[in-house]
Amino acid sequence: MIARRACVMGLMSAAAAILPVPVSAAGKVNVFAAASLKNALDEVSAAWKAASSKETANTFAASSALARQIEAGAPADIFISADLDWMKYLSGKKLIAESSMVKLLGNTLVLVAPAGSRAAVTIAPGFDLAGVLKGGKLAICDVKAVPAGKYGKAALEKLGVWDKVEGSLAQAENVRAALKLVSAGEAPAGIVYRTDANEEKKVKVLGAFPPDTHPEIVYPAALVAASKSPDAAEFLAFLQSDKAHDIFRAHGFIILVR
């Protein structure tokens, strides 16, 4: 049991380790974005570079961690959160250029299991999530701070199963870390975004949580008030372009901005 716990913690630390504390990237637009955006946003950045010869420096982590870093003075030009709460947090401190904020993307919350799992379940009120876990842990983001974790807790509460699994949580620092626990077989199930599940062949989706079981999943984007980048506004506009929309859709995101 001790070895297993050590393995789980090691995986969580390893996943977090790929999300370094950001440093300024001279000449590039510094984008702080929710971890679930990594694959799609890196592709969007590559498309922008091909079209404009300009570059971004993308830093990915939990929205909560990035917001705190911006609050502490980290050199961000654009912030893309996985929920409205952390954008509002920075806005309340006058750290975001409020007029630039757009509701960029949406997503779907899903329950995943290792690809080889024989688990099957219909997500509905009172569904047997504890039976899926079979004594194991439910991989989920920090339910108090990280958007995916907050959405997940809200959904489980709405469906009436939170009390049965609350003591069986493996809380991760960000959604990619939660996904890693499942793909590595250290957790028999986890709650992540569909876009993350789409990127990992070692997991399968058991079902999607109905949208009315949790707050709407919204990814807002905005310029950071302290940004001095002459190109930040241009990249924020590119995020709202047809080219970027095609890339986001291909990764499973829902386009919210018109």
Side-chain angles (χ1 to χ4, degrees), residues 167-255:
S168 301
L169 305 181
Q171 296 189 58
E173 295 181 7
N174 58 69
V175 72
R176 289 303 175 93
L179 183 69
K180 183 68 174 178
L181 292 176
V182 181
S183 67
E186 291 299 325
I191 297 176
V192 298
Y193 298 122
R194 184 179 294 279
T195 52
D196 295 288
N198 289 347
E199 305 289 355
E200 179 53 76
K201 297 186 182 303
K202 293 182 180 180
V203 305
K204 66 178 183 179
V205 175
L206 298 180
F209 289 90
D212 63 358
T213 62
H214 55 78
E216 182 184 9
I217 299 172
V218 176
Y219 289 71
L223 298 175
V224 175
S227 170
K228 292 180 172 56
S229 169
D231 301 317
E234 181 182 330
F235 184 67
L236 182 61
F238 187 78
L239 291 172
Q240 303 167 60
S241 69
D242 290 342
K243 177 63 176 178
H245 287 178
D246 288 344
I247 293 171
F248 285 128
R249 283 194 191 96
H251 285 269
F253 287 96
I254 300 163
I255 305 301

Side-chain angles (χ1 to χ4, degrees), residues 5 15-16 19 42 53 70-71 116 120 131 149 175 180 212 225 233 239 245:
R5 286 178 181 170
L19 307 169
D42 280 346
S53 298
I70 291 171
E71 183 182 17
V175 72
K180 183 68 174 178
D212 63 358
L239 291 172
H245 287 178

Side-chain angles (χ1 to χ4, degrees), residues 71-95:
E71 183 182 17
D77 297 308
I78 293 174
F79 177 48
I80 312 176
S81 175
D83 72 356
L84 291 169
D85 288 346
W86 285 107
M87 186 65 75
K88 290 177 180 177
Y89 175 83
L90 292 181
S91 178
K93 294 180 177 294
K94 309 299 183 184
L95 296 174

Side-chain angles (χ1 to χ4, degrees), residues 3 32 44 50 62-63 69 92 98 116 147 169 205 208 218 233:
F32 283 21
V44 170
S63 301
Q69 289 173 356
E98 187 111 17
L169 305 181
V205 175
V218 176

Side-chain angles (χ1 to χ4, degrees), residues 12 138-143 148-153 156 162 169-174 178 181 189-192:
M12 291 172 68
L138 176 67
I140 189 171
C141 293
D142 182 342
V143 299
K150 295 193 293 182
Y151 293 135
K153 179 182 178 182
L156 296 179
W162 172 254
L169 305 181
Q171 296 189 58
E173 295 181 7
N174 58 69
L181 292 176
I191 297 176
V192 298

